[in-house]
Amino acid sequence: MDLEAYIRDVPDFPKKGIIFKDITPLLADAAALEEAVRRLGRPYEGKGVQVVTGIESRGFIFGGAVARRLRAGFVPLRKPGKLPYKTVKKEYALEYGTDAVEIHADAISPGQKVLMLDDLLATGGTMAAACELVEGLGGRIVGVAFLIELCFLKGRQKLPGYDIHTLIRVP
Ligand code: AMP
């Protein structure tokens, strides 16, 4: 199945010059969603993944589904101020300014095997910050998976040493 056929390019969203990769057609199609979740989790079957993390908000959709498939738990990484309990935060640089992600301080136990998940790898800043948070809590990252990779932005360079798995590669 060609999953890329279910991704819609939306030019100039949310601002001019960005081609937004809209995953909602893939989410709305039962067979494409099933296939995407199966392929995202496949390299990690039998690897003892205990927790899957997803990054707000599209990472939640795949994170939850892949966690279910791997019989692992799910942990959300969110924008600042959204998680109710004690959190740890990591800021990272954007083209202009900074952004940040948070995780509950007790979400990962030391030594737990963690699969990191998001919908799209662009510059890699978001995932690099997420990985730092998870490792700061003692998690052992067994893999980093994305539905889409925008290869021209070289996000992999911000994630050295990780086992990175992507399903759709935009050259
Ligand atoms: P980055 O930190 O640059 O790797 O950005 C990754 C985050 O931004 C992901 O959570 C994506 O959902 C979102 N993102 C960045 N660029 C795009 C794009 N062209 N289309 C859709 N989402 C994007």
Side-chain angles (χ1 to χ4, degrees), residues 20 55 58 61 64 92 116 143 148 156 158 168:
F20 192 86
I55 303 176
R58 278 159 285 150
I61 301 165
Y92 57 96
M116 308 292 295
I148 305 166
R156 279 175 185 259
K158 284 218 182 80
I168 299 166

Side-chain angles (χ1 to χ4, degrees), residues 18-21 58 118-126 150:
I18 305 282
I19 298 173
F20 192 86
K21 295 288 178 185
R58 278 159 285 150
D118 201 3
D119 67 324
L120 185 140
L121 173 61
T123 66
T126 309
L150 303 183

Side-chain angles (χ1 to χ4, degrees), residues 112 114-116 130-132 134-135 139-144 162:
Q112 260 188 330
V114 181
L115 170 61
M116 308 292 295
C131 289
E132 215 176 293
V134 166
E135 288 178 337
R140 280 192 289 153
I141 295 173
V142 301
V144 182
Y162 294 112

Side-chain angles (χ1 to χ4, degrees), residues 10-106:
V10 183
D12 298 324
F13 183 89
K15 56 183 180 190
K16 208 157 176 57
I18 305 282
I19 298 173
F20 192 86
K21 295 288 178 185
D22 177 16
I23 62 166
T24 61
L26 184 147
L27 297 178
D29 187 281
L33 179 60
E34 168 72 18
E35 181 69 7
V37 170
R38 196 176 64 78
R39 285 195 210 168
L40 278 169
R42 190 165 50 194
Y44 309 103
E45 282 167 17
K47 296 270 168 73
V49 172
Q50 293 163 291
V51 171
V52 178
T53 68
I55 303 176
E56 183 170 5
S57 57
R58 278 159 285 150
F60 291 177
I61 301 165
F62 294 106
V66 171
R68 182 73 188 80
R69 205 179 166 85
L70 297 177
R71 296 191 167 76
F74 175 76
V75 166
L77 281 132
R78 300 205 65 179
K79 306 272 189 232
K82 302 269 193 169
L83 288 167
Y85 184 61
K86 210 171 113 192
T87 58
V88 283
K89 173 157 102 173
K90 177 72 193 167
E91 285 192 358
Y92 57 96
L94 297 175
E95 198 180 350
Y96 301 103
T98 62
D99 212 339
V101 280
E102 287 186 347
I103 189 169
H104 272 150
D106 63 351

